[in-house]
Amino acid sequence: MGSGELYGLGDEILRRLRGRFRIDEGEFAALKAGRSGDPFKVLVATIISQNTNERNTFLALERLEKEVGLEPPRIVAAGASRVEEAIRVAGLQRQKAAAIVEVSRLLLREYGGDLRRLLSEGEERVREVLGSVRGIGEKTVDVLLALSGYPVVPVDTHVRRVARRLGLARGSGYRAVREALHRVFREEARLEAHLLLIKLGREVCKARGPRCRECPLRDLCPSASGGQP
Ligand code: SF4
């Protein structure tokens, strides 16, 4: 199948998902953080959001902003234990605080504390630099890239599951799923595709007991009958 044909499928999937779901930024911590226009806030929100829900992510981010500040110099000056204490509600605070402090140090050292400067160096450079920080995975970098205007579909647990059930991605490795989704969704629609596939995964195509009968994609989905509750 050529990419033109796959983009047609992606367009149809998005048309149906748009008809069913509304993207509320209150349900996506990184998206809400992105409204500030500050990519560093998006990065910190995404690190905090690992293995926790949006509510706890918001609480942790707010507390970190109030008690420490959301700028690399403040975070480095405060140190890991104060960051850890501020984000405790989100869990895994030790690893997350270490990552937040390390990336703050790196940005101060290499980019004058300005993540926008790194972002202006292009997708591959962003992946290389941030990927070197322990505790910052590919999904975290992709969320930052997507919310900074790069044409990327970040793959979280919902996106991976839905993509595989829909037959859009065969492999399960992070990059294999992402590249498969890039063949289906046009560049300008990739952030929206990420958000809508998460909504589908959270509300309909659940890990246990997908609700195929109420799924807007059921006639397109090779897993539909097997997933019928
Ligand atoms: S039809 Fe079922 S398995 Fe397929 S995407 Fe919808 S809920 Fe998931």
Side-chain angles (χ1 to χ4, degrees), residues 165-166 200 204-205 210-212 215 217-218 221 223-224:
R165 283 181 178 163
L166 282 166
L200 180 69
V204 178
C205 192
R211 298 176 179 170
C212 300
C215 179
L217 305 181
R218 64 189 173 283
C221 181
S223 311

Side-chain angles (χ1 to χ4, degrees), residues 27-124:
E27 297 174 50
F28 296 95
L31 189 61
K32 192 171 176 190
R35 292 285 176 245
S36 66
D38 179 359
F40 184 71
K41 198 166 174 178
V42 172
L43 178 60
V44 173
T46 312
I47 293 170
I48 292 174
S49 73
Q50 291 164 29
N51 293 299
T52 192
N53 58 35
E54 306 296 334
R55 182 177 168 275
N56 288 341
T57 302
F58 287 131
L59 288 172
L61 193 66
E62 270 174 21
R63 200 170 155 198
L64 183 63
E65 187 159 24
K66 193 165 150 224
E67 296 181 5
V68 173
L70 278 177
E71 297 93 37
R74 286 175 177 263
I75 285 170
V76 170
S81 58
R82 278 192 62 205
V83 173
E84 203 176 309
E85 186 51 39
I87 65 171
R88 182 174 298 275
V89 65
L92 296 176
Q93 61 271 19
R94 201 163 174 189
Q95 297 95 305
K96 292 175 183 176
I100 291 168
V101 171
E102 191 186 333
V103 76
S104 297
R105 277 206 191 101
L106 183 152
L107 291 171
L108 272 178
R109 196 174 60 235
E110 310 283 339
Y111 294 93
D114 188 356
L115 178 54
R116 287 188 192 84
R117 276 179 52 196
L118 169 58
L119 285 165
S120 72
E121 292 183 358
E123 193 177 323
E124 288 318 307

